[in-house]
């Protein structure tokens, strides 16, 4: 599947009217959909459906508050290990959401990109993804990244292979490999690292999400299930972040 990099320069040139303490980039591990549904006596898929509604609200908050980049974990490579019916439902849901939401995302100025190994996804979903990437690529209100079939370790392996090939072809010297070059070989390309990572549902782990990019990210865990997360909960997470001192190893 063709990957679009046409938004790269736009992201580098983000306007500087963002208040200092507001995170520029928020990443979210949207967890707890199954439990949200089970609590209500509903099938797990009902939780994923509700989860999609929450994403829309959070995206609106980002636009309203001036958070420029939102990256969400929608499906991990490990999630293929779930029952086929749940996986199929999720793939269908992603495709339907893209089709139904495209017009609104376009109106709201959302620029959509996907992180992950996309070319093994159902072809009809890949087509919908590419269409969305192409149509929204010039939008600049919020850069919305969705990790689908994503693995942080696999992303690093892929970058290593890519750089090894360049060295083999004589296009790159081993000593020229530095953090910037590795970073640019990741799915996230030139996106700045997340300032804040939120994980819902009380789980306190990364589950293979953005392993390289989260090196200095502030982390916020909440017991709230993703299906119950909302603008108020999001505001609490941002306020918590704003009270922190980011030292980056310095004093
Ligand atoms: C997160 O919710 C969504 C995906 C992984 C697709 P879960 O489906 O993991 O919900 P729980 O953790 O089982 O409650
Ligand atoms: C992480 O949640 C993946 C997504 C939110 C898409 P999981 O529910 O799959 O993670 P584990 O299994 O609890 O670590
Ligand atoms: Mg889970």
């Amino acid at each position: 599947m063709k990957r679009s990099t046409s938004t790269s320069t736009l992201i580098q040139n983000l306007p500087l009217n963002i208040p200092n303490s507001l995170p520029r980039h928020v990443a979210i591990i949207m967890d707890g959909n199954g439990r949200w549904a089970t609590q209500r006596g509903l099938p797990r898929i009902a939780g994923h459906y509700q989860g999609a509604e929450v994403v829309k609200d959070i995206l609106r908050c980002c636009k309203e508050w001036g958070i420029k980049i939102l990256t969400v974990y929608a499906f991990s490579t490990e999630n293929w290990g779930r029952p086929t019916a749940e996986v199929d439902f999720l793939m269908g849901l992603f495709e339907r959401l893209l089709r139904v939401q495209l017009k609104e995302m376009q109106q709201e100025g959302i620029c959509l990109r996907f992180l992950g190994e996309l070319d093994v996804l159902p072809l009809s979903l890949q087509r919908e993804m590419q269409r969305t990437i192409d149509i929204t690529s010039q939008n600049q209100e919020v850069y919305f990244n969705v990790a689908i079939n994503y693995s942080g370790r696999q992303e690093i392996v892929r970058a290593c292979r890519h750089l090894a090939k360049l060295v083999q072809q004589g296009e790159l010297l081993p000593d020229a490999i530095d953090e910037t070059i590795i970073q640019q070989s990741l799915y996230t390309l030139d996106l700045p690292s997340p300032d804040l990572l939120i994980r819902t549902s009380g789980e306190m782990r990364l589950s293979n999400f953005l392993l390289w990019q989260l090196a200095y990210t502030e982390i916020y865990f909440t017991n709230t299930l993703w299906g119950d997360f909302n603008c108020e909960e999001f505001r609490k997470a941002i306020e918590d972040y704003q009270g922190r001192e980011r030292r980056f190893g310095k004093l």
Side-chain angles (χ1 to χ4, degrees):
M1 180 176 158
K2 189 162 71 87
R3 281 186 60 77
S4 168
T5 54
S6 54
T7 52
S8 305
T9 41
L10 295 176
I11 290 172
Q12 262 166 356
N13 298 331
L14 280 179
L16 289 172
N17 58 358
I18 304 160
N20 265 342
S21 56
L22 199 63
R24 179 157 66 149
H25 183 177
V26 175
I28 306 183
I29 301 176
M30 312 181 288
D31 200 9
N33 290 352
R35 279 164 281 169
W36 183 93
T38 306
Q39 274 182 359
R40 288 162 176 77
L42 299 169
R44 289 178 55 86
I45 56 172
H48 297 313
Y49 192 80
Q50 165 67 11
E53 294 299 311
V54 176
V55 175
K56 290 183 214 165
D57 287 346
I58 297 310
L59 200 48
R60 277 187 214 110
C61 297
C62 286
K63 182 172 174 189
E64 203 170 303
W65 299 341
I67 295 169
K68 275 295 184 185
I69 309 167
L70 178 69
T71 300
V72 299
Y73 204 5
F75 193 88
S76 73
T77 54
E78 290 79 12
N79 289 148
W80 292 111
R82 295 187 178 200
T84 315
E86 182 169 342
V87 170
D88 288 350
F89 176 84
L90 282 166
M91 295 300 149
L93 179 64
F94 298 147
E95 191 178 324
R96 222 168 26 250
L97 281 170
L98 290 178
R99 199 175 307 121
V100 174
Q101 293 300 315
L102 179 59
K103 197 169 156 209
E104 191 175 337
M105 285 193 288
Q106 184 60 5
Q107 278 166 357
E108 296 292 321
I110 310 296
C111 172
L112 214 93
R113 295 209 292 196
F114 300 95
L115 317 177
E117 197 189 337
L118 307 182
D119 46 16
V120 298
L121 295 172
L123 280 177
S124 53
L125 173 57
Q126 287 188 47
R127 272 195 295 273
E128 215 54 59
M129 287 166 125
Q130 192 56 57
R131 196 164 80 95
T132 316
I133 292 169
D134 292 342
I135 292 178
T136 66
S137 69
Q138 298 306 311
N139 293 344
Q140 295 185 54
E141 286 294 327
V142 179
Y143 297 91
F144 180 39
N145 310 295
V146 182
I148 294 187
N149 193 23
Y150 176 88
S151 151
R153 285 186 177 168
Q154 193 51 42
E155 178 181 40
I156 293 170
V157 169
R158 178 178 167 273
C160 292
R161 284 199 190 132
H162 167 69
L163 295 177
K165 278 182 196 149
L166 292 182
V167 170
Q168 192 182 36
Q169 290 159 6
E171 291 170 35
L172 180 69
L173 290 170
D175 284 343
I177 298 176
D178 58 11
E179 290 191 14
T180 307
I181 288 182
I182 293 179
Q183 197 164 306
Q184 283 165 352
S185 306
L186 300 174
Y187 291 123
T188 40
L189 301 169
D190 57 348
L191 280 177
S193 295
D195 302 294
L196 172 65
L197 170 76
I198 298 170
R199 183 168 188 154
T200 56
S201 86
E203 309 296 350
M204 299 194 192
R205 52 180 171 266
L206 296 181
S207 300
N208 210 358
F209 192 41
L210 301 176
L211 297 182
W212 172 282
Q213 296 87 339
L214 295 176
Y216 257 105
T217 300
E218 296 294 328
I219 305 184
Y220 178 88
F221 294 111
T222 170
N223 287 330
T224 304
L225 303 175
W226 180 248
D228 293 322
F229 200 77
N230 53 30
C231 289
E232 184 53 27
E233 295 280 332
F234 192 29
R235 194 181 53 79
K236 271 193 236 163
I238 304 292
E239 282 175 359
D240 190 274
Y241 167 86
Q242 288 176 323
R244 300 192 191 183
E245 188 193 349
R246 302 188 76 188
R247 285 197 288 273
F248 300 100
K250 301 177 189 117
L251 294 180

